[in-house]
Amino acid sequence: LFKRYPHWCIATIMLSALVALCEGLSMVLVITLVDKGALSKFPYLFDVFGRWINNAVPAEKIRWIVILLIGVTLFKGAVLYLYNRVTTFMQIEAIKLFRLKCLNQLLSLSMKYLRDQKISDLFTIITNNTKWVGSIISIANSVIPKICSGLALLFILINLSWQLTLASFVLLAVSSLALHYVSKESQLSGDQSNTELLKLSEILMSLIQGMKEIRLFNKEKQFYGDTEKLIQRQGEAGYRNAMANALVRPIFEVATVVCLGAILCLASVILPKDNLNFAPKLLSFMIILFKMVMPVASINQARIQIAGMFPPVTKLFDFLERYDKDYIPNGSNILKSFNQSIRFENVSFKYYKDEVLQDICLTIPKGSKIGIV
């Protein structure tokens, strides 16, 4: 995608950076209401803004902050709309690109390879597995602005208290380890669900193509029973995959509350004990930290979802691999002119293993048509 649309890929990064900037500005405006001296720790531009806004009377200060918050939010909404347009275009282009790659691969492969494959598997890979690529790109694109916003909020947290920020990230990193099992379960269940879906496609293809024979030999009950078992197993695997995804947010939120409790205890030790400044500084830090929890939770959710999508995408990439497949051979001699006839001398031909033509000698005059049956 980057080779085909480098400007669109660069646009996603730039728009994500703008979203992060808006997120950071919104939080800066919020903490000015809580802690007057919070902006003094930031770079010069924020410090100037902080002095200007703090010199205003309380009512005027609130009005200015509300107006600025509305303006920043409107700008952020416009940027997000442009970002969604760009990423949706990239998602659709990715699906189209991989389907065309699969079509080109299918038309280039030898009869030997195609005879060994199941029609239902090839059909599922080209029509269904390519959609998972688009889904992964969509999820990844939804995470990029959250990563940028998280970095912007991290910058604010470090300026408020680098000690508390370090402690917070250590605790959150430990809590993220609890999601490792969930990620593994999601990948395993996703793999099983995709395998059962391939089997289901195969049996349904056989059923549709052989309906006359099925009825002729009275095999309806047998086919129904076999298909019912596959549908049941595929549904159970899909349910486990969905439950693994559903576990992410509760686990992360419980771990987050535990971490926040530990951070509050640490804050009572790390932050200065000045009664006037302790509460505003702690409140400012906790507001930003709470705001940062959502992007981190979304990133973890996306990680689990993508893990569940890897199995079908892996099968797609395996199909597109070139090193383990036989292709239709192309001649290397260039035909410059054709005047009289084509001459075959001791030519043999086979579709798969057994030769169907052996040592054929044949002359085809120019302008004639010959069929070999």
Side-chain angles (χ1 to χ4, degrees), residues 48-66:
V48 171
F49 170 76
R51 290 199 301 270
W52 170 73
I53 202 73
N54 286 326
N55 287 333
V57 297
E60 186 180 357
K61 176 182 176 180
I62 292 172
R63 281 198 299 271
W64 272 112
I65 289 176
V66 169

Side-chain angles (χ1 to χ4, degrees), residues 42 68 110 167 193 212 273 302 329 343 350:
F42 286 81
L68 290 171
S110 67
S193 177
K212 184 167 64 175
K273 302 302 185 295
R343 173 72 181 164
K350 61 182 179 181

Side-chain angles (χ1 to χ4, degrees), residues 2 26 64 101 116 118 126 193 231 244 266 280 284 298 317:
F2 187 80
S26 299
W64 272 112
K101 279 180 175 290
D116 289 338
K118 297 174 181 176
I126 297 172
S193 177
I231 291 173
L266 285 171
S284 298
S298 299
F317 288 144

Side-chain angles (χ1 to χ4, degrees), residues 19 33 79 143:
V19 171
L33 288 172
V79 173
V143 166

Side-chain angles (χ1 to χ4, degrees), residues 28-42 46-59 61-62 65 160 276-284:
V28 166
L29 290 170
V30 169
I31 63 175
T32 54
L33 288 172
V34 179
D35 185 5
K36 290 183 178 181
L39 296 183
S40 61
K41 295 183 178 182
F42 286 81
F46 288 101
D47 190 23
V48 171
F49 170 76
R51 290 199 301 270
W52 170 73
I53 202 73
N54 286 326
N55 287 333
V57 297
K61 176 182 176 180
I62 292 172
I65 289 176
L160 290 175
L276 294 176
N277 294 324
F278 175 76
K281 287 184 182 299
L282 179 59
L283 185 57
S284 298

Side-chain angles (χ1 to χ4, degrees), residues 49-88:
F49 170 76
R51 290 199 301 270
W52 170 73
I53 202 73
N54 286 326
N55 287 333
V57 297
E60 186 180 357
K61 176 182 176 180
I62 292 172
R63 281 198 299 271
W64 272 112
I65 289 176
V66 169
I67 291 170
L68 290 171
L69 273 173
I70 292 172
V72 169
T73 304
L74 286 173
F75 182 73
K76 178 184 173 183
V79 173
L80 278 174
Y81 172 74
L82 289 174
Y83 183 85
N84 288 330
R85 289 197 62 166
V86 171
T87 54
T88 301

Side-chain angles (χ1 to χ4, degrees), residues 11-21 79 83 141 144-145 148-149:
T12 59
I13 304 299
M14 294 179 64
L15 291 171
S16 297
L18 283 175
V19 171
L21 180 63
V79 173
Y83 183 85
N141 282 331
I144 292 173
C148 294
S149 298

